[in-house]
């Protein structure tokens, strides 16, 4: 089953921090763990977050804001809260509880972004208990909690969830008849108890007679709400470019398909979904302005100085320059500057590639393109990204930068083709060209910071998307289908040496200058 959503997973989440895998997902994991740990009258006393020394998080959790994300999530702060960045400092001072981050061998280490979280909780009677969660960031801000104590769970932040700890013989079969609610007994056992997991895309009413009876038989009831838009339809809606091209040939535009499919996914009306896309567009434009407002004095970047305003104000380069390209480059850098300073940005599809889509859209706005057409472009951009996600991951830890800036360039290239009258086939053709030209692109952030070469990669992504769109609109044929290029991108990423997949140990990060800069 698929929970990929255009707004949750592709042009989202709205987040802080330089990495969707290492900043947004830790925040969502922390927020979900907090909800599941706290029952009536409970309070958190201490939290240990642990990474395996061979994993990616162990290498970059401070430089990419994972520690801040876990802290803010565990405290329940909102992304847009002005207190977001203060939470880590508060927890280091034991307010309102202590947080320890340790690097140690994990019992299960099947993914470079795996994490173990042990929460010490004091109940209303002063008794301590220890809740142990295991999970992973899977790319683009998406995550999964797959173990709780000795039980296997399936919590991904897109459902309302109840976890009921009850006796081995507690009945639950009567709940399975309700199609709106998924119920299962989780694998595992502990002290003659079983864990029943109940999930729904809508708030779960405990007034349901059978559910009320089951809750009354439970020793402990844990719950969590979705941390993004709840997913109502888990059918594979974005399975392949071929299927979408066929739909478009029947008279449906890619923008309309994106809107209707996302509305179905989220259980919203088309106007509600359209407004959500418009809201996401406005967050992107706000992030451009936030980046343009940065100065050398207000920026906290480690290696770079804010350069977006300088690029935007420069005289266009004769012959090879253009106002559209220059505006897009400036806006893209503005978003990346804001991102590196822990400002609010939209992962599109990742934080490391978050400048490419809004940079292009901002330049379209500067050139006078109607805002409604720009939002259509954003919908197509997201739809192409969803097809990519159906076949693989946006995690640079498993695929390198080709699944970040490569995917982002492919997405917006398709959006540009649609905007300027191209067919669905031409849109996916442009996207395929982008993947061809970024195949095997490594992820090699200097010092673990999302500055060098990430800003440069976003610059390249802007030009790459534009040239691919122009080539496709002009009749150049990529020949190799987008779906096949997505699969190949994933396979090549898996073949890369681990040092080339977001560990800051290879590529640009290993050059003599980079090593000197990092001391």
């Amino acid at each position: 089953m698929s929970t990929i959503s255009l707004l949750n997973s592709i042009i989202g989440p709205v987040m802080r921090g330089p990495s969707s895998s290492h900043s947004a997902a830790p925040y969502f994991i922390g927020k979900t763990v907090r909800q599941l740990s706290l029952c009536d009258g409970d309070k958190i006393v201490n939290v240990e977050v642990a990474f395996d020394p061979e994993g990616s998080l162990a290498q970059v959790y401070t430089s990419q804001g994972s520690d801040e994300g876990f802290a803010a999530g565990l405290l329940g702060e909102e992304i847009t809260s002005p207190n977001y960045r203060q939470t880590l400092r508060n927890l280091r001072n034991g307010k309102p509880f202590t947080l320890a981050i340790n690097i140690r061998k994990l019992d299960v280490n099947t993914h470079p972004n795996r994490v173990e979280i042990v929460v010490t909780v004091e109940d209303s009677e002063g008794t301590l208990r220890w809740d142990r969660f295991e999970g992973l960031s899977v790319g683009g801000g998406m995550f999964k909690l797959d173990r709780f104590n000795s039980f296997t769970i399936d919590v991904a932040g897109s459902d309302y969830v109840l976890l009921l700890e009850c006796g081995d013989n507690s009945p639950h079969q009567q709940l399975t008849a309700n199609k709106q609610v998924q119920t299962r007994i989780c694998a595992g056992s502990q002290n003659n108890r079983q864990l029943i997991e109940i999930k729904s895309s809508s708030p779960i009413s405990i007034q349901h007679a059978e559910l009320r009876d089951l809750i009354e038989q439970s020793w402990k009831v844990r719950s969590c709400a979705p941390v993004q838009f709840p997913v109502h339809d888990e059918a594979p809606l974005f399975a392949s470019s071929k299927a979408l091209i066929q739909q478009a040939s029947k008279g449906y535009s890619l923008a309309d398909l994106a809107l209707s499919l996302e509305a179905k996914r989220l259980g919203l009306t088309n106007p509600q979904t359209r407004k959500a896309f418009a809201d996401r567009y406005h967050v992107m434009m706000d992030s451009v302005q936030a980046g343009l407002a940065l100065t050398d004095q207000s920026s906290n970047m480690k290696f770079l100085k804010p350069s977006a305003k300088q690029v935007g104000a420069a005289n266009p380069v004769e012959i090879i320059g253009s106002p559209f390209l220059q505006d897009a480059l400036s806006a893209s850098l503005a978003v990346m500057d804001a991102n590196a300073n822990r400002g609010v940005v939209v992962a599109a599809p990742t934080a490391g590639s978050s400048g490419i889509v809004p940079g292009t859209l901002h330049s379209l706005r500067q050139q006078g393109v109607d805002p409604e057409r720009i939002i259509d472009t954003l919908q197509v951009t997201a739809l192409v990204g969803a097809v990519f996600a159906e076949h693989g991951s946006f995690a640079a830890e498993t695929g390198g930068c080709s699944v970040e800036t490569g995917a982002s360039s492919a997405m917006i290239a398709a959006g540009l083709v649609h905007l300027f009258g191209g067919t669905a086939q031409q849109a996916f053709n442009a996207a395929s060209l982008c993947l061809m030209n970024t195949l095997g692109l490594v992820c090699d952030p200097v010092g673990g910071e999302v500055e060098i070469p990430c800003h440069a990669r976003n610059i390249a992504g802007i030009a790459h998307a534009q040239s691919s769109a122009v080539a496709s609109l002009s009749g150049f044929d990529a020949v190799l289908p987008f779906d096949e290029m997505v699969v190949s991108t994933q396979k090549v990423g898996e073949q890369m040496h681990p040092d080339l997949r977001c560990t800051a140990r290879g590529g640009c990060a290993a050059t003599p200058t980079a090593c000197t800069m990092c001391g």
Side-chain angles (χ1 to χ4, degrees):
M1 304 296 280
S2 170
T3 58
I4 292 168
S5 152
L6 305 186
L7 291 159
N8 286 345
S9 320
I10 312 301
I11 51 164
V14 176
M15 56 165 288
R16 284 182 187 264
S19 167
S20 43
S21 293
H22 292 154
S23 309
Y27 170 77
F28 291 134
I29 290 172
K31 193 171 185 178
T32 303
V33 165
R34 173 185 174 84
Q35 293 183 76
L36 291 174
S37 295
L38 292 177
C39 305
D40 291 340
D42 291 347
K43 67 176 182 180
I44 297 175
V45 177
N46 177 67
V47 178
E48 185 215 18
V49 176
F51 313 129
D52 194 277
E54 296 302 316
S56 181
L57 281 164
Q59 314 300 324
V60 299
Y61 76 90
T62 54
S63 59
Q64 296 192 6
S66 309
D67 46 5
E68 289 188 350
F70 280 116
L74 287 164
L75 274 176
E77 286 288 353
E78 295 302 317
I79 287 289
T80 54
S81 168
N83 298 322
Y84 181 97
R85 300 207 65 196
Q86 182 65 31
T87 56
L88 180 61
R89 187 179 306 169
N90 290 342
L91 292 184
R92 283 174 173 165
N93 293 327
K95 301 177 181 178
F97 54 84
T98 56
L99 171 66
I101 297 180
N102 295 322
I103 310 299
R104 57 175 171 79
K105 292 294 292 183
L106 302 184
D107 293 339
V108 178
N109 185 30
T110 57
H111 191 281
N113 287 338
R114 281 203 75 88
V115 60
E116 290 181 7
I117 301 177
V118 180
V119 185
T120 305
V121 179
E122 181 180 315
D123 67 19
S124 58
E125 297 179 353
T127 303
L128 296 180
R129 72 169 189 272
W130 290 265
D131 292 337
R132 177 190 178 98
F133 297 87
E134 299 175 42
L136 65 156
S137 162
V138 297
M142 294 178 281
F143 75 94
K144 182 177 181 180
L145 291 177
D146 53 13
R147 288 191 67 82
F148 165 66
N149 292 335
S150 62
F151 297 100
T152 300
I153 61 174
D154 183 16
V155 177
S158 56
D159 294 292
Y160 293 88
V161 178
L162 289 180
L163 295 180
L164 308 181
E165 295 180 60
C166 50
D168 285 342
N169 298 318
S170 298
H172 78 287
Q173 289 81 0
Q174 62 267 42
L175 294 173
T176 60
N178 186 343
K179 294 183 179 179
Q180 303 303 316
V181 179
Q182 302 175 35
T183 307
R184 71 182 184 93
I185 297 179
C186 299
S189 63
Q190 184 181 38
N191 300 327
N192 297 319
R193 298 186 183 187
Q194 67 179 0
L195 186 70
I196 297 177
E197 179 185 272
I198 301 173
K199 296 198 297 186
S200 174
S201 57
S202 302
I204 302 171
S205 173
I206 61 174
Q207 300 307 314
H208 187 280
E210 291 84 358
L211 179 56
R212 187 171 61 248
D213 291 343
L214 186 55
I215 288 176
E216 290 175 354
Q217 298 176 48
S218 300
W219 287 303
K220 192 168 293 295
V221 178
R222 304 168 185 274
S223 65
C224 68
V227 291
Q228 295 198 70
F229 286 107
V231 171
H232 287 250
D233 189 321
E234 295 188 350
L237 305 179
F238 323 107
S240 70
S241 61
K242 182 178 180 180
L244 291 171
I245 291 168
Q246 289 176 341
Q247 286 291 311
S249 69
K250 299 175 183 178
Y252 302 98
S253 77
L254 288 179
D256 290 341
L257 284 171
L259 185 65
S260 61
L261 289 170
E262 182 68 350
K264 182 179 181 182
R265 173 71 91 218
L266 301 182
L268 302 175
T269 64
N270 280 12
Q272 288 172 326
T273 308
R274 177 73 172 186
K275 181 181 183 303
F277 275 107
D279 291 344
R280 198 56 49 91
Y281 164 66
H282 290 305
V283 174
M284 288 180 168
M285 296 304 99
D286 287 345
S287 68
V288 173
Q289 296 306 317
L292 289 172
L294 287 168
T295 64
D296 291 354
Q297 291 71 37
S298 64
S299 174
N300 293 314
M301 286 191 287
K302 187 173 182 179
F303 301 121
L304 299 178
K305 294 182 178 180
S307 57
K309 190 179 294 185
Q310 173 186 339
V311 171
N315 292 325
V317 179
E318 292 184 9
I319 301 177
I320 62 172
S322 74
F324 179 68
L325 176 62
Q326 188 167 329
D327 284 342
L329 294 177
S330 172
S332 176
L333 285 170
V335 175
M336 291 301 293
D337 287 347
N339 174 30
N341 279 279
R342 306 296 195 268
V344 177
V345 300
V346 176
T350 67
S353 60
S354 60
I356 296 170
V357 172
T360 303
L361 299 183
H362 180 271
S363 189
L364 291 173
R365 185 174 71 167
Q366 293 294 96
Q367 299 304 312
V369 177
D370 181 74
E372 293 301 312
R373 293 181 64 206
I374 295 177
I375 296 171
D376 284 344
T377 303
L378 182 59
Q379 289 171 191
V380 174
T381 296
L383 183 63
V384 173
V387 175
F388 187 102
E390 283 286 355
H391 295 280
S393 166
F394 293 126
E397 301 77 28
T398 60
C401 199
S402 54
V403 303
E404 293 205 31
T405 57
S408 187
S409 298
M411 289 159 51
I412 192 61
L416 287 172
V417 170
H418 174 83
L419 174 65
F420 292 106
T423 65
Q425 179 64 64
Q426 287 177 311
F428 279 104
N429 185 65
S432 187
L433 287 175
C434 286
L435 294 189
M436 285 184 196
N437 295 329
T438 54
L439 195 63
L441 183 61
V442 303
C443 181
D444 47 353
V446 172
E449 301 287 343
V450 184
E451 297 180 29
I452 303 172
C454 311
H455 282 58
R457 297 263 168 85
N458 278 254
I459 289 174
I462 288 283
H464 191 192
Q466 293 181 24
S467 60
S468 296
V470 170
S472 184
L473 285 167
S474 302
F476 184 81
D477 187 359
V479 180
L480 303 181
F482 180 73
D483 298 332
E484 294 182 15
M485 285 309 306
V486 175
V487 173
S488 185
T489 297
Q490 301 298 325
K491 288 181 177 178
V492 170
E494 292 168 1
Q495 293 168 351
M496 287 182 192
H497 191 280
D499 285 357
L500 303 178
R501 297 184 303 199
C502 202
T503 55
R505 295 193 299 250
C508 291
T511 61
T513 297
C515 293
T516 300
M517 290 165 59
C518 296

